[in-house]
Amino acid sequence: MQVSSNIEFICPVKTNAGKKGLDHIPIELKALNAERPIVITDQETANKGLSKHMINAFKDSGMHFGLFEGVPKTADVKTIRNLSQKFLYKGFDAIIAMGGGAAMDVAKGLNMVVSGTPEDLKLLAGIDKIQHRLKPFIAVPTAWGNGFEITKYAFIESKAYASHHLMPDLVVIDPVLFKAPDTKLMVSSAMIALTHAIEACIHPNGNEFIDCYAHAAIQHIKTCFPKALTHPKDKQANAGIGQAAAMAGCAFSNVHPGMIHRLGKAAGTMFNISSGICMGILLPYGLEYKLKKNKALVSKLFHSIADFDERAQTSPGAQQQKIIQYIKKLQNNMADATKKTLPLTLQQADISKNSLAAIAQRAIDNGLSMDKDECLKVLTAAYDGKSIA
Amino acid sequence: MHIPGYFEFCCRVKTLAGHNALESIPEALAQLQAKTPLILTDKGVAGAGLIDIVINAIKDKMTIGSIEDDIPPDSDLRVVNHLAGVYREKNCDAIIAVGGGSVMDTAKGVNIVVSENADDLIKFCGAGAIKRPLNPMIAIPTTSGTGSEVTLVAVIADHEKNRKMLFTSYFLLPDVAVLDSRMTLTLPPFLTSSTGMDAMTHAIEAYTCLAKNPLSDTHALAGIELLSQNLLNVVQNPDDQEGRLALAKGANLAGIAFSNSMVGMVHTLGHSIGSVCHVPHGTCMSILLPYGLEYNLHKNSEFVAEVLYPLAGPEIFAKTPKNQRAEKVIEYVRKMNQDLYDATGGRHSRCFKEVLNRDGKQMVTKEDLPKISKTALGDGSIFYNPEELDYDDCMMVLNAAWEGTPLNRNKIKKG
Amino acid sequence: MGEYKDITPGKKRIKRLYTAIMLWFVGRSIQAAAKIDDDVKKEFEELPDQFLFSLGVTPDGPRMLVGKDVNGRVKYLGSNPKGRKINVDMTIKNLEAAILLFTFQESTAISSCHDRLTVDGDIPSACSVVRILDMVEVYLLPKIVAKLAVKRYPQWSTERKLMGRTKIYLRAILGF
């Protein structure tokens, strides 16, 4: 019996995307049997004046809510504790997080505490420790984040949590919230989304169901990213990247993080560069390495990136080159849009060559199952900006 | 890619698929904190030995509360209440539903009764009246067609009060759908072909009708590809396990797609023929699919053309000039119906005059068509069809589908 | 917790008023159209006795009711659904969705495709109601707008359209 041939997929997240999406939140809350939410957001989102859109969405809904605009730059236990007291004292019954990664992490932490006990923040750290459904949780991305917003992961101080129960019941992507973007952050977010989606497609435990989310994410990047780069004020295009990030997060939550993700995250954390930029640098080299190792992945990956005409017209032999070309073209678009300030190699990102081994080691320590020398091959190629030796 | 101004997409069902997927049920139930499932099915499924397979796969790891295998095809409130009684009496804490639409609907009804402790189901009728998670439910489909394992609707008849109760809520989605090749392995070829085309219709209508969105699109395309690559082959080689699993996945993907994008006139007319003449749903779908595509072509040819790739494969797609791809899709669907007709010894019908009942009598006569058209105007799926559809339009399409002749596209009213 | 506030969101008075006026006008126009247009009349004849339908914004938003009285006459019945048995209940999910609909940015079909409109009750009757609404829209709106609101603009004679339009506007405003 080969039980391993079985596949598994779950995405507990409902997606509401597009014009006036925010205005559907009250009725969605009602469907989740909630009517008194707490909205939490970070200073930056609040400073951009985005809270007023949430208030507008609740006008005429008959619902009241609590608004907390003080989520710090990274999620911390103190904020969660304070919020949980507020939550219980005021009798809230749902959480809406608006903003980037920190707001989502605080919301996930808060949800563990208010659905259980304060000790849960300690007890539930790790993988799949949560046994019960948590309270209704709606995620409203407003800006570019770390790519973990719409995933099963939460990071609070030094602890990591992973469970499908942490995923939001609903993600709302409303173009009205995607204004005044920071191009570099947007690029970082798009690259994380693309990396997550691509690595989900070629993951050995991948399946058709994961591909549906991954393909939709990649198509959003293809359609919206070039436009968002040349027209930074185009809200639709920018919201498209947010959409891609959410869909990629759903795919990513069904597989183990891949090599490019791990190496990019390690490099980003060690050198204080946004990890999306690092993933973007690593993407062509990492893919080249993977495709060399396993030729069967070429057509799979080409399938996810190319449209029907390209797929019908490109011979199998030419596919690999086209994939790498496509990614490099994207990188050049990004470089142009950022007036060449965006690094395209690890060297340009001011990472020293002799720290590559440390990056590899850190990625391995974080769970990357790959030989260190092999990691170094990819990192070296990405450092030099040359094909893998 | 088509990005609509606004869309919603949701499928919270966990999917387990494989040749041994049934064996994962105990673990899945444990994750849902359930220990004692009630197994619900009908006589046909039990008679085919499928329940034995399910039981053998799980019995070592859990206690089964009870096995109830007498859900009738026209199940109703009485059956639901009786089964809810069994659930309580045997202290069950989950439901495993094995079968097609009627079993799934009944199981959902039972779950509302036992989870909400409801004495009157009418309270939960309508859109979104169920507001809390119900008790754990696992759905195991036994045909690769309806996709009812991923729909959020349940219809339960109340024969005593002569009414039908419609329930819609995201909480009606089963927690887990288990797609196991063993469950469809013994499905006879002509049922495989019509249920397969049913699923194909879900996927193609989902991709070409008004409420399509980027996520329903990827599900629809994946479904079309799996179904197209495997349907004829499985009908010819019923023992092909890989093919069976592919069809089950394809039907599931198609079900996810259409329950998020809705369907159009193929379903409008198909439902009506089903209710007036009792023709099996899958048969209606296979016959009507090319007509629905023809009728709407002036509105959605761009989307129909894209279907050619997953449907017919890269060579045919590359060989067909861009402006002929949509027509090629219609031609290809007709050819599929013809191939399935040949492969089933004529049991897969190509047009309505060919549909015969057990006594060899025509199930749909030309005299039925006005009544069918009239019924069609009251079917909700008519909203999601790209082009308007009035009584005369229905008659025109039905006449052609009865004879098996292509639509005269010049006669379609365009506005 | 200095950054915490309790929010009482309040109301969108102008959008509410606009929607209420539109609903009032559409309701009275349906009553008028049922008198002067044969197709609308026929759709209503097929509906059950004392049929009542409602179109409105949830929760507690503007609403209109149209129904058949005991003599089969079609009447606009105001905005209060309390105590009435409604056969078809069409609900717009929020005020912004209603604005999109009544400023003709989204047609009825697109609005329901966008999950902004829910229909509860007898589905065949609901289909009739949608056809009635479509015909009334063709009467009320100039072709360029109505073409966006309905899937297929009907080929009515100019006389039917213009005479009908005048009569319906008059009757709707004057209320007979």
Side-chain angles (χ1 to χ4, degrees), chain B residues 92-387:
Chain B
C92 298
D93 53 14
I95 294 172
I96 300 179
V98 192
S102 176
V103 173
M104 294 301 161
D105 279 352
T106 308
K108 287 173 183 172
V110 174
N111 211 12
I112 303 171
V113 176
V114 297
S115 308
E116 291 283 357
N117 229 338
D119 35 31
D120 190 5
L121 266 186
I122 199 85
K123 265 204 310 220
F124 299 93
C125 237
I130 303 161
K131 293 184 189 274
R132 284 186 298 191
L134 304 180
N135 291 359
M137 174 173 159
I138 292 186
I140 309 176
T142 53
T143 60
S144 296
T146 60
S148 58
E149 70 277 10
V150 285
T151 54
L152 43 89
V153 193
V155 184
I156 292 159
D158 181 351
H159 288 142
E160 276 160 31
K161 293 197 176 129
N162 200 15
R163 62 178 177 188
K164 266 188 177 178
M165 293 181 282
L166 180 72
F167 306 83
T168 38
S169 161
Y170 285 115
F171 296 115
L172 280 177
L173 286 168
D175 296 282
V176 185
V178 182
L179 313 174
D180 191 303
S181 54
R182 287 168 290 178
M183 290 291 104
T184 50
L185 207 54
T186 51
L187 196 69
F190 76 97
L191 282 177
T192 306
S193 75
S194 66
T195 53
M197 285 305 282
D198 181 15
M200 181 69 91
T201 307
H202 290 156
I204 293 183
E205 283 216 296
Y207 194 78
T208 56
C209 285
L210 284 179
K212 73 199 245 81
N213 66 61
L215 280 167
S216 74
D217 282 353
T218 50
H219 285 83
L221 293 174
I224 295 168
E225 187 163 332
L226 283 171
L227 293 163
S228 177
Q229 286 173 355
N230 293 282
L231 184 54
L232 184 61
N233 171 44
V234 171
V235 169
Q236 286 163 340
N237 309 288
D239 297 332
D240 178 358
Q241 281 207 19
E242 289 300 331
R244 288 287 187 185
L245 184 60
L247 287 186
K249 286 185 198 168
N252 184 269
L253 288 161
I256 296 172
F258 94 87
S259 55
N260 279 285
S261 73
M262 310 312 285
V263 284
M265 66 180 283
V266 177
H267 280 79
T268 313
L269 296 173
H271 289 154
S272 312
I273 296 176
S275 82
V276 175
C277 305
H278 309 290
V279 178
H281 183 66
T283 304
C284 298
M285 295 295 108
S286 5
I287 296 173
L288 287 164
L289 177 56
Y291 293 96
L293 291 170
E294 269 174 332
Y295 185 83
N296 289 313
L297 205 57
H298 59 284
K299 291 250 172 167
N300 63 1
S301 62
E302 180 199 346
F303 302 137
V304 178
E306 287 165 357
V307 166
L308 188 63
Y309 190 97
L311 185 72
E315 281 97 52
I316 294 182
F317 186 87
K319 262 198 304 204
T320 314
K322 215 168 185 154
N323 58 359
Q324 289 168 28
R325 282 178 187 154
E327 270 100 355
K328 187 82 185 169
V329 167
I330 297 168
E331 188 192 317
Y332 197 89
V333 170
R334 289 217 157 92
K335 187 174 159 293
M336 273 186 94
N337 274 335
Q338 180 63 45
D339 290 344
L340 292 168
Y341 175 89
D342 296 335
T344 55
R347 293 190 74 179
H348 181 93
S349 312
R350 299 162 299 182
C351 55
F352 285 111
K353 68 178 178 192
E354 279 177 6
V355 182
L356 305 177
N357 65 11
R358 280 178 195 199
D359 312 322
K361 265 182 65 185
Q362 243 176 15
M363 290 183 83
V364 187
T365 64
K366 276 212 141 173
E367 288 69 51
D368 293 326
L369 303 187
K371 192 170 175 202
I372 296 168
S373 299
K374 216 147 193 214
T375 314
L377 296 182
D379 193 277
S381 57
I382 205 164
F383 292 141
Y384 299 96
N385 195 58
E387 181 57 281

Side-chain angles (χ1 to χ4, degrees), chain A residues 1 29 37 57 62 81 106 108 122 125 131 136 174 185 198 208 230 232 253 259 283 311-312 323 353 361 379:
Chain A
M1 230 185 252
L29 279 171
R81 290 245 181 280
V106 167
K108 290 169 183 174
K122 278 201 202 87
Q131 303 287 342
D174 191 323
L185 259 179
I198 285 181
E208 298 87 344
T230 50
S253 295
M259 177 248 285
L283 200 51
R311 282 168 66 191
I323 296 169
K353 193 155 194 175
Q361 190 55 50
L379 289 168

Side-chain angles (χ1 to χ4, degrees), chain A residues 23-24 60 65 67 90, chain C residues 5-7 10 12 16 94:
Chain A
D23 294 275
H24 288 244
D60 280 284
F65 64 86
L67 176 64
K90 292 261 182 184
Chain C
K5 283 179 275 196
D6 282 311
I7 304 283
K12 301 172 180 169
R16 233 179 131 93
N94 53 64

Side-chain angles (χ1 to χ4, degrees), chain C residues 2-3 14 20-21 46 60 63-65 72 76 86 89 101 105 109 112-113 115-116 122-123 125 138 140 150 165:
Chain C
E3 301 92 340
I14 293 174
I21 293 171
E46 308 257 319
D60 305 323
R63 184 162 284 282
M64 68 148 188
L65 292 109
Y76 167 70
I86 292 170
D89 190 8
L101 191 66
Q105 297 178 58
S112 66
C113 285
D115 278 302
R116 304 203 202 268
D122 181 50
I123 298 298
S125 306
V138 172
L140 294 182
V150 300
R165 183 173 294 164

